[in-house]
Amino acid sequence: MEEHAIFTRAEHIRDVIRYISRFKDAAVVIYLDDRIIDSPLWASHIRDISLIHEAGLRVILVPGAHKHIDKILAENNISWERKNGCRITDDEAMPLIKTAAFDVSNIVMSSLAGEHLTAVIGNWVRARAKGVLDGTDYGSAGEIDKIDDDTIRAVLSNGFIPIFPCIGWSLSGKPYNISSMQLASQIAIHMQADKLFFLVPDAELSATYFTLPQEIGISPEGCIPAMNIEEVDEFLKANKEIKSAKTNSTVMQDLREHILSIVRLGKAACLEGVTRVHILNSSLNGTLPCEIFSDLGSGTMIYSSNYGKLRPMERNDIAAVLTLIQPFVKKGILLPRTEEQLESQLNDYIVYELDGGIRACSALHIYDNKQAEIAAVAVDETCAHIGIGPKIMDSLINRAKQLSLDSVFVLTTQTTDWFESLGFKSDNINSLPEKRKALWSPSRGSKLLRLKLK
């Protein structure tokens, strides 16, 4: 097998091992759109949930029942309407709604049993009537009042998977229809979950449905891989108007609004302590494990902090940095470095850490009180599209400015265009400091580009 293929496979395996260790015993809440049940990928998603559970994550499931409730009400000639995301029906519809909700939960439980997992369906949610708002009687629609956290933790500690139907009960035992997505969000907040997943058909934050702010990184597939809270605000602002040229059909408008509502719930959950929220397209086979056990996953992640950060390189990062730059050395983009060289120049380097893994690095080598070299710029190819490179450059340029240097320079053979896009301009090799000029090789022919700071 080709050496590069082995290296790539090894890196993927290392990522999986790192994430299994990181998220062992972590609480994970998964919202399942009930349209998934009828899809060819249903068995695959259940299998993935089983594998996640076996990997040591504590799984909580919240199946939606929108499709099944629509069907059972239509079969019984019971009308309903929607307002502000709520289904409004008379009390006579509630027994049918409850039947549909528990039918979906039973399907999920039976499917998990096929994977030899024990799940429990419970009435762990207390609810109250939504009541009359702005002159509208919301009938059987309810609001979440309380979630029985202690019982959920007991179920999880016994190795079972709790399943939550979209039904809540009042203190007197009256059932109410509650939003499954809001329920999933509230459970995640109450449990201070590490991850909240929304697994929904065709849920992708791409240019197909949305206006994507220029500042947000885009994956090779054209989707947003991750957004922090500030970027979520920019995204929502850019897509404030539901109707647009991108949504010229009712179906697309409904899908767009559905995804936007999930984004808003995700932001609110993160602000309330949920570590990360993930929006996944259930039409993609394997989307759940890919999202959990890889840096950039397969969907869109919303986070508040501690996802990726720039920091000074430490001694125990050296092995990871050498591994990171190896592909660039092979391509002739970077010169080889040794462990001893990195050790001696430790204070010059910064790294970008993503979920505990080193995904980028660079160094600022100061030659005199006027100029410095930005060197060893390397970004893992899996992260090249999310803006890490410019962040590293900005950090080193700002450091050079703080030191009152006149300019910074780079020497490159294959990335001239990228540095020029950041404002660097060609310069004469003779302008290099003498110490660096002595190391320059005519046979390599590196081009000198410089950015003036004053």
Side-chain angles (χ1 to χ4, degrees):
M1 184 180 292
E2 185 184 348
E3 182 181 352
H4 178 70
I6 294 176
F7 171 79
T8 302
R9 182 179 295 182
E11 282 297 283
H12 290 164
I13 293 171
R14 289 172 186 140
D15 283 343
V16 170
I17 293 172
R18 176 162 52 87
Y19 276 105
I20 288 176
S21 175
R22 179 182 178 87
F23 292 119
K24 184 174 175 59
D25 296 324
V28 174
V29 179
I30 303 174
Y31 165 81
L32 297 167
D33 189 299
D34 65 328
R35 289 173 292 174
I36 304 171
I37 292 173
D38 299 321
S39 88
L41 295 180
W42 172 244
S44 178
H45 289 313
I46 289 294
R47 178 59 179 156
D48 288 341
I49 291 170
S50 171
L51 292 172
I52 291 167
H53 180 267
E54 290 171 6
L57 285 75
R58 298 181 297 153
V59 177
I60 301 168
L61 298 180
V62 183
H66 179 91
K67 178 180 176 181
H68 285 71
I69 293 173
D70 281 355
K71 181 180 178 182
I72 197 170
L73 292 182
E75 289 174 347
N76 287 272
N77 297 315
I78 295 178
S79 61
W80 72 92
E81 63 175 306
R82 284 199 162 271
K83 189 167 186 177
N84 297 324
C86 292
R87 183 192 301 273
I88 301 177
T89 63
D90 296 330
D91 287 342
E92 65 173 356
M94 198 58 221
L96 295 172
I97 292 174
K98 187 168 69 171
T99 296
F102 275 86
D103 282 348
V104 171
S105 292
N106 278 309
I107 291 171
V108 175
M109 184 170 67
S110 298
S111 298
L112 291 171
E115 296 293 334
H116 309 291
L117 294 179
T118 302
V120 180
I121 301 172
N123 57 343
W124 304 303
V125 181
R126 193 171 76 196
R128 53 184 169 78
K130 195 171 183 70
V132 179
L133 298 175
D134 298 324
T136 299
D137 186 349
Y138 281 78
S140 59
E143 294 278 4
I144 299 168
D145 218 13
K146 183 179 180 182
I147 295 173
D148 189 349
D149 303 356
D150 293 338
T151 301
I152 300 169
R153 290 189 175 91
V155 171
L156 291 170
S157 66
N158 285 317
F160 302 149
I161 296 178
I163 299 175
F164 285 76
C166 56
I167 303 295
W169 280 263
S170 70
L171 286 172
S172 62
K174 183 177 180 179
Y176 289 102
N177 182 199
I178 54 180
S179 163
S180 298
M181 293 199 307
Q182 288 184 355
L183 177 57
S185 177
Q186 286 300 308
I187 293 169
I189 292 170
H190 276 261
M191 301 298 294
Q192 290 295 278
D194 292 87
K195 289 183 176 290
L196 166 60
F197 292 94
F198 290 95
L199 193 58
V200 178
D202 301 318
E204 61 176 44
L205 275 69
S206 70
T208 302
Y209 306 114
F210 300 103
T211 300
L212 306 184
Q214 292 183 348
E215 300 79 11
I216 295 179
I218 306 298
S219 72
E221 295 76 25
C223 298
I224 300 175
M227 294 189 289
N228 59 33
I229 295 299
E230 292 75 19
E231 289 170 329
V232 168
D233 288 337
E234 289 299 313
F235 174 80
L236 291 173
K237 182 180 178 181
N239 293 277
K240 190 173 182 180
E241 294 297 327
I242 297 173
K243 295 182 180 180
S244 71
K246 293 180 180 295
T247 56
N248 54 9
S249 73
T250 301
V251 173
M252 289 186 71
Q253 288 175 19
D254 289 346
L255 175 61
R256 174 183 158 97
E257 177 54 29
H258 188 50
I259 297 173
L260 287 173
S261 66
I262 296 174
V263 172
R264 295 185 193 101
L265 281 173
K267 174 191 171 182
C270 284
L271 291 174
E272 292 291 335
V274 177
T275 308
R276 293 167 194 177
V277 177
H278 304 260
I279 303 170
L280 305 182
N281 182 357
S282 65
S283 303
L284 301 177
N285 197 352
T287 185
L288 270 169
C290 282
E291 188 72 11
I292 294 178
F293 300 123
S294 65
D295 284 336
L296 294 179
S298 58
T300 297
M301 180 179 73
I302 298 172
Y303 64 99
S304 55
S305 62
N306 199 32
Y307 173 59
K309 61 181 178 181
L310 279 172
R311 61 170 177 78
M313 185 172 76
E314 301 170 356
R315 282 184 173 81
N316 58 6
D317 297 324
I318 290 176
V321 168
L322 288 171
T323 300
L324 173 68
I325 68 174
Q326 180 185 358
F328 299 93
V329 173
K330 281 183 172 290
K331 294 176 182 177
I333 297 173
L334 294 181
L335 291 170
R337 267 85 172 170
T338 66
E339 184 175 343
E340 290 73 21
Q341 284 176 317
L342 294 183
E343 178 89 29
S344 66
Q345 298 175 327
L346 189 68
N347 294 332
D348 291 359
Y349 279 82
I350 60 173
V351 297
Y352 190 90
E353 181 181 341
L354 192 65
D355 270 346
I358 303 302
R359 291 296 178 244
C361 69
S362 189
L364 185 71
H365 302 314
I366 301 172
Y367 286 94
D368 51 42
N369 59 1
K370 292 185 178 181
Q371 58 183 318
E373 178 185 11
I374 294 179
V377 181
V379 179
D380 189 310
E381 62 179 10
T382 63
C383 306
H385 52 276
I386 61 172
I388 295 176
K391 288 179 182 177
I392 282 185
M393 294 297 292
D394 284 345
S395 177
L396 295 180
I397 290 168
N398 286 334
R399 185 196 294 184
K401 288 178 178 178
Q402 290 170 3
L403 294 171
S404 299
L405 300 181
D406 291 342
S407 67
V408 291
F409 65 86
V410 296
L411 287 161
T412 180
T413 57
Q414 300 177 40
T415 54
T416 302
D417 290 341
W418 186 73
F419 285 114
E420 286 180 342
S421 72
L422 299 176
F424 284 75
K425 298 185 182 302
S426 295
D427 201 357
N428 193 295
I429 293 297
N430 291 326
S431 68
L432 285 173
E434 291 301 322
K435 185 177 179 181
R436 184 64 182 89
K437 193 192 304 183
L439 299 174
W440 182 80
S441 169
S443 62
R444 180 171 169 81
S446 297
K447 294 182 178 180
L448 171 64
L449 292 96
R450 188 179 296 277
L451 178 69
K452 294 184 178 179
L453 305 178
K454 291 183 179 179

